[in-house]
Amino acid sequence: MSRKLYAGVALRDVRLASRLTQKDFAARLGISLSYLNQMENNARPTSAAVVLGLAREFGFDVGTLAVDEADRMVADMREALVDPVFAGAGPTLAELQLVATNAPGLSRAFLDLYRTHRQRVEQIASLSDVLGEEGSGLAPQPWEEVRDFFHYCDNYIDAVDRAAERFAEGLSGAPVAALGSALEERHGVTVRIAFGGRMRAYDAEAGVLTLAAEAGAATQAFQIAHQIALISQRELIEATLDLADFQSAPAREICRIGLANYFAGAVTLPYGQFLEAAAETRHDLERLAMRFGASLEQVAHRLSTLQRVGNKGVPFFFVRVDQAGTITKRHSATRLQFARFGGACPLWNVHRAFETPGQFLRQAAETPDGVRYFCLARDVSKPGGSFAAPVRRYAIGLGCEVQHASALVYADGMDLGSDAAFEPIGISCRMCERPDCHQRALPPMDRSVRVDPMGRGVLPYSLQ
């Protein structure tokens, strides 16, 4: 089912920028004044004819009319509003959608304010020494700033992605050798492989990039591409950082690394080639990894970034968790948005991937809002390169809304047309409304509990 597009703010911005009255603007678009007024106030969805008219008459980039950002803000506000600090304040989903669509600046300000509140509560609870420092708690943590930057860019940075794709056009052969040759020929930097050192160490004065021999070829290629980004894409990265307008210098430095990583991923898995190969292999992660000399994690993460306007791939969510269940990487181009505060739902199959090493786990899942997903999970290990070195273990999750599942080879043989096939999952216990979940760790923050001293069910309490 197609989703309705409410773009009243964008329509109004285009009209005001063009210095046109509603009457003249409606005439240019070939619609009635009352119809335009309704669309500007989001009383009616923006029609396809109006979208085409914006592009034709005003050269407007219709890709900016995507509803994904509003969806993400609604999900983030719903999660924040279950905090007890908002007890008694219960805006409906429709009201939140209205605010996110009509007043996105207000939505962002609210989320920034709540983030500050959460940080101060956590700092006080932990008796952190930071609490006494000047300015403590008045700004988001640097990594949170960077996370939100990529989150609201839909994890797709067009200028960086296209620059990486252009760089990759002249490469051929095994990734490590091809990228190493490019680094030496174009920038005079020699690549050396050595045991016992850091994963990547660059000596600018000597013109030498040293990589760990213990790392696999996929990691080595990625690190070479990362260094290429820092050397050859300095101006582009700095311009992107300027646009991001971070509140702290550490956030800017963290994002510089993130943008170099983004470039590296886009070089080793070039957009056009990778999108075509993904469709051809029906998103078979192992075949894609072998074809491009990449790791399963690199392939899964790249699939979640294929959101180029006019040439999008399947909208995926991607997540990586450690053995404690902590989310260490997250991105979603779907309506499923991961919890920003607290842990993830224990019923999700990504947590079971550690129990079946080397195997893909499939799951048909339904969230409390009724949206159904096809989920894939797999454990990934990163050996240290020697018997005594520690092994880092993670699990990765990749998924899409069920209407796209037929594009994945992993969905073959699953009965996705049956209601019984879908397992109920949530976002996190603190905001899940399911009253009878057997894995619930704590009550939802927006519901009262009732304890019966004369008996109990699966849980020691029931939800009011």
Side-chain angles (χ1 to χ4, degrees):
M1 181 183 296
S2 61
R3 299 167 64 191
K4 295 179 180 180
L5 175 65
Y6 291 87
V9 174
L11 281 170
R12 192 178 304 113
D13 288 346
V14 172
R15 177 173 62 81
L16 294 176
S18 303
R19 298 183 178 180
L20 294 175
T21 64
Q22 280 193 329
K23 181 179 179 181
D24 293 336
F25 192 58
R28 289 277 296 273
L29 293 175
I31 59 176
S32 69
L33 177 60
S34 62
Y35 187 30
L36 172 63
N37 184 270
Q38 288 177 317
M39 284 191 293
E40 282 199 1
N41 288 285
N42 285 324
R44 296 186 65 174
T46 304
S47 67
V50 171
V51 172
L52 293 174
L54 286 173
R56 181 183 64 251
E57 297 292 330
F58 301 95
F60 185 74
D61 181 3
V62 298
T64 62
L65 294 179
V67 299
D68 294 341
E69 182 177 11
D71 287 344
R72 283 192 290 271
M73 285 194 291
V74 168
D76 291 347
M77 287 191 292
R78 290 185 71 189
E79 183 180 354
L81 285 165
V82 301
D83 194 302
V85 73
F86 297 111
T92 65
L93 176 59
E95 289 173 324
L96 292 178
Q97 290 170 333
L98 187 64
V99 173
T101 304
N102 282 3
L106 179 62
S107 301
R108 295 189 192 97
F110 167 78
L111 291 170
D112 288 342
L113 181 63
Y114 180 68
R115 184 186 303 111
T116 298
H117 161 73
R118 288 298 307 169
Q119 288 169 350
R120 298 191 71 173
V121 168
E122 290 168 4
Q123 287 166 346
I124 292 172
S126 64
L127 299 178
S128 170
D129 291 337
V130 178
L131 187 61
E133 295 182 3
E134 182 179 356
S136 172
L138 298 181
Q141 294 295 325
W143 56 87
E144 292 181 326
E145 277 196 90
V146 176
R147 178 193 66 189
D148 288 349
F149 167 72
F150 283 101
H151 180 65
Y152 284 108
C153 286
D154 206 21
N155 208 39
Y156 175 75
I157 313 297
D158 187 71
V160 177
D161 207 299
R162 292 182 185 274
E165 190 172 27
R166 289 192 296 270
F167 187 92
E169 288 176 354
L171 302 179
S172 61
V176 173
L179 288 165
S181 296
L183 183 59
E184 184 167 11
E185 293 169 4
R186 303 185 196 186
H187 305 291
V189 176
T190 302
V191 176
R192 292 179 181 171
I193 309 295
F195 284 97
R198 302 171 68 185
M199 184 178 296
R200 173 177 52 85
Y202 177 53
D203 186 337
E205 185 174 342
V208 175
L209 175 66
T210 303
L211 303 177
E214 296 88 346
T219 299
Q220 291 173 351
F222 187 90
Q223 293 302 325
I224 297 173
H226 178 102
Q227 194 63 54
I228 289 172
L230 295 177
I231 295 173
S232 69
Q233 305 298 320
R234 183 180 297 108
E235 292 184 2
L236 175 58
I237 289 176
E238 291 301 321
T240 305
L241 293 172
D242 289 341
L243 289 173
D245 192 25
F246 291 113
Q247 298 182 37
S248 66
R252 187 181 179 97
E253 296 307 310
I254 292 171
C255 192
R256 178 178 286 107
I257 295 173
L259 291 172
N261 282 340
Y262 187 102
F263 181 90
V267 164
T268 54
L269 302 168
Y271 196 101
Q273 294 180 37
F274 186 69
L275 180 64
E276 182 180 352
E280 177 191 332
T281 62
R282 297 185 61 217
H283 302 86
D284 189 318
L285 271 62
E286 292 173 299
R287 291 180 61 189
L288 290 169
M290 286 188 290
R291 180 177 299 190
F292 289 92
S295 69
L296 290 177
E297 181 180 336
Q298 289 170 350
V299 167
H301 185 257
R302 182 58 168 153
L303 284 173
S304 72
T305 69
L306 301 180
Q307 295 300 300
R308 182 176 292 178
V309 174
N311 192 26
K312 292 188 176 185
V314 171
F316 283 105
F317 65 73
F318 167 78
V319 68
R320 188 183 74 179
V321 302
D322 64 17
Q323 293 182 92
T326 305
I327 296 177
T328 58
K329 288 184 180 180
R330 71 186 79 196
H331 168 60
S332 179
T334 72
R335 282 178 280 181
L336 188 148
Q337 301 299 325
F338 303 109
R340 294 157 61 87
F341 311 100
C345 176
L347 298 179
W348 193 21
N349 69 340
V350 71
H351 300 294
R352 299 198 297 269
F354 295 106
E355 303 170 8
T356 56
Q359 299 180 35
F360 285 98
L361 298 183
R362 307 182 298 174
Q363 181 183 38
E366 181 176 344
T367 49
D369 58 3
V371 181
R372 291 178 170 181
Y373 299 90
F374 175 76
C375 308
L376 188 68
R378 166 74 186 263
D379 73 302
V380 292
S381 297
K382 300 186 178 185
S386 68
F387 175 75
V391 176
R392 292 178 293 159
R393 302 184 189 279
Y394 300 98
I396 57 173
L398 185 72
C400 62
E401 294 186 21
V402 73
Q403 60 264 33
H404 301 290
S406 60
L408 280 67
V409 65
Y410 303 99
D412 290 354
M414 294 190 69
D415 183 11
L416 299 178
S418 169
D419 291 344
F422 290 86
E423 298 180 58
I425 65 170
I427 302 302
S428 69
C429 290
R430 71 189 300 274
M431 60 179 298
C432 181
E433 59 197 49
R434 299 189 191 278
D436 54 355
C437 176
H438 62 283
Q439 281 292 132
R440 181 174 288 283
L442 70 165
M445 296 182 69
D446 62 341
R447 302 280 290 278
S448 299
V449 300
R450 181 175 61 230
V451 178
D452 181 2
M454 305 305 294
R456 62 161 287 174
V458 175
L459 299 175
Y461 54 80
S462 59
L463 303 180
Q464 298 282 23

